[in-house]
Amino acid sequence: MINKCSGTLEGSRKRVAKKQYAVIGMGRFGSSVAATLTGMGFEVLAIDSSEQRIQEAINKVTHAVSADSTDDEAMRSLGIRNFDVVVVAIGQDIQSSILTTLILKDLGVGTIIVKAQNELHGKVLSKIGADKIIYPERDMGQRVAHHLVSPNILDYIEISEDYSIVEVKAPKAMIGKNLVQLDIRQKFKCNVMAIKNGTAMNIAPYADDMIKDGDVLVIVGKNKDLSSLEIAYSEG
């Protein structure tokens, strides 16, 4: 059985020029992704086999539909291939996650992003055509670990197997010094991409730019070099 909130999908597609997203699986992760995208002004279709979860999501997204994502005819009838990005956020049911990904690929969805439970699940998803694999539990674990090492680490984003980006709240040892004095590139082989202070963003800062209290440094580098930087500025 399929329940839709008010409005037609096709009609709103014609009115909205922005990217359109579908999120399959309205658990904690999926509902958070869907609500955030909606809040950013994007059209979002929420899909879940649970009527209760759809009722909970109906006021948080543009459209909410109760449907079985492992049923290719149901997915076809929703026009799923017309969405720019489909996020598969199915929880513990790995078989449904894999089958849903296969159906989306077969229907010609442009970009498929899938939540994986573990590395093996992720490898299978990658082999069958998922464009990006997300490991929420693993990634959150990384963030917590880096924050434990240095409370100044606000965020940690892995961009490849070897490289990451960190956001570092300027510790006392950095305040009042410029980038030449800190010499982060020479000492740690990392690059300061930007300096943020509140809503202000200094992109590609100059070498003589001074670090002030409240500044946040956006730094990119190899994981091992970033770890050395974190430990050096851990403030005990």
Side-chain angles (χ1 to χ4, degrees):
M1 181 177 180
I2 299 177
N3 293 332
K4 299 183 182 180
C5 62
S6 60
T8 62
L9 298 181
E10 294 299 331
S12 58
R13 282 199 190 94
K14 293 175 182 177
R15 295 193 299 271
V16 180
K18 289 184 179 180
K19 271 189 175 181
Q20 294 152 29
Y21 297 84
V23 181
I24 301 174
M26 287 293 103
R28 282 182 298 178
F29 175 73
S31 59
S32 176
V33 170
T36 301
L37 287 169
T38 304
M40 294 169 69
F42 293 99
E43 179 180 351
V44 179
L45 168 65
I47 302 172
D48 198 288
S49 58
S50 166
E51 295 273 0
Q52 181 180 342
R53 285 183 173 176
I54 288 303
Q55 288 303 316
E56 292 170 355
I58 204 165
N59 293 321
K60 301 176 183 178
V61 297
T62 319
H63 305 278
V65 177
S66 175
D68 180 1
S69 64
T70 64
D71 182 341
D72 58 346
E73 286 302 319
M75 292 297 98
R76 194 188 307 275
S77 69
L78 289 175
I80 199 74
R81 63 176 297 176
N82 297 318
F83 285 84
D84 299 289
V85 180
V86 178
V87 179
V88 180
I90 295 172
Q92 299 297 320
D93 192 341
I94 291 177
Q95 182 174 325
S96 291
S97 167
I98 293 170
L99 184 52
T100 297
T101 303
L102 279 170
I103 289 171
L104 295 176
K105 193 69 179 178
D106 187 54
L107 291 176
V109 172
T111 301
I112 305 169
I113 300 173
V114 191
K115 171 188 173 182
Q117 296 298 322
N118 50 53
E119 296 291 337
L120 180 58
H121 183 197
K123 286 181 180 178
V124 174
L125 292 168
S126 182
K127 286 183 181 296
I128 64 176
D131 297 288
K132 182 175 177 60
I133 314 299
I134 297 174
Y135 301 89
E137 289 81 7
R138 184 198 69 181
D139 294 345
M140 182 55 69
Q142 288 179 338
R143 284 176 169 83
V144 170
H146 284 279
H147 184 72
L148 289 173
V149 171
S150 175
N152 293 308
I153 300 298
L154 302 179
D155 203 359
Y156 184 96
I157 304 169
E158 187 178 273
I159 55 177
S160 75
E161 188 175 341
D162 299 315
Y163 288 86
S164 297
I165 296 173
V166 295
E167 288 191 353
V168 184
K169 182 180 179 183
K172 292 178 182 178
M174 286 186 180
I175 296 170
K177 297 180 180 179
N178 61 31
L179 295 181
V180 170
Q181 293 170 312
L182 292 176
D183 203 14
I184 289 174
R185 180 180 296 180
Q186 184 64 34
K187 291 179 180 177
F188 303 102
K189 301 177 183 177
C190 299
N191 292 309
V192 178
M193 300 168 58
I195 300 173
K196 300 193 295 185
N197 193 298
T199 58
M201 173 76 84
N202 179 2
I203 302 294
Y206 292 110
D208 59 355
D209 282 346
M210 197 73 68
I211 305 301
K212 304 183 293 297
D213 189 22
D215 279 353
V216 174
L217 282 68
V218 182
I219 305 173
V220 63
K222 285 188 174 181
N223 295 332
K224 62 182 181 65
D225 296 326
L226 289 171
S227 294
S228 298
L229 184 147
E230 290 173 36
I231 293 169
Y233 286 103
S234 63
E235 297 187 341

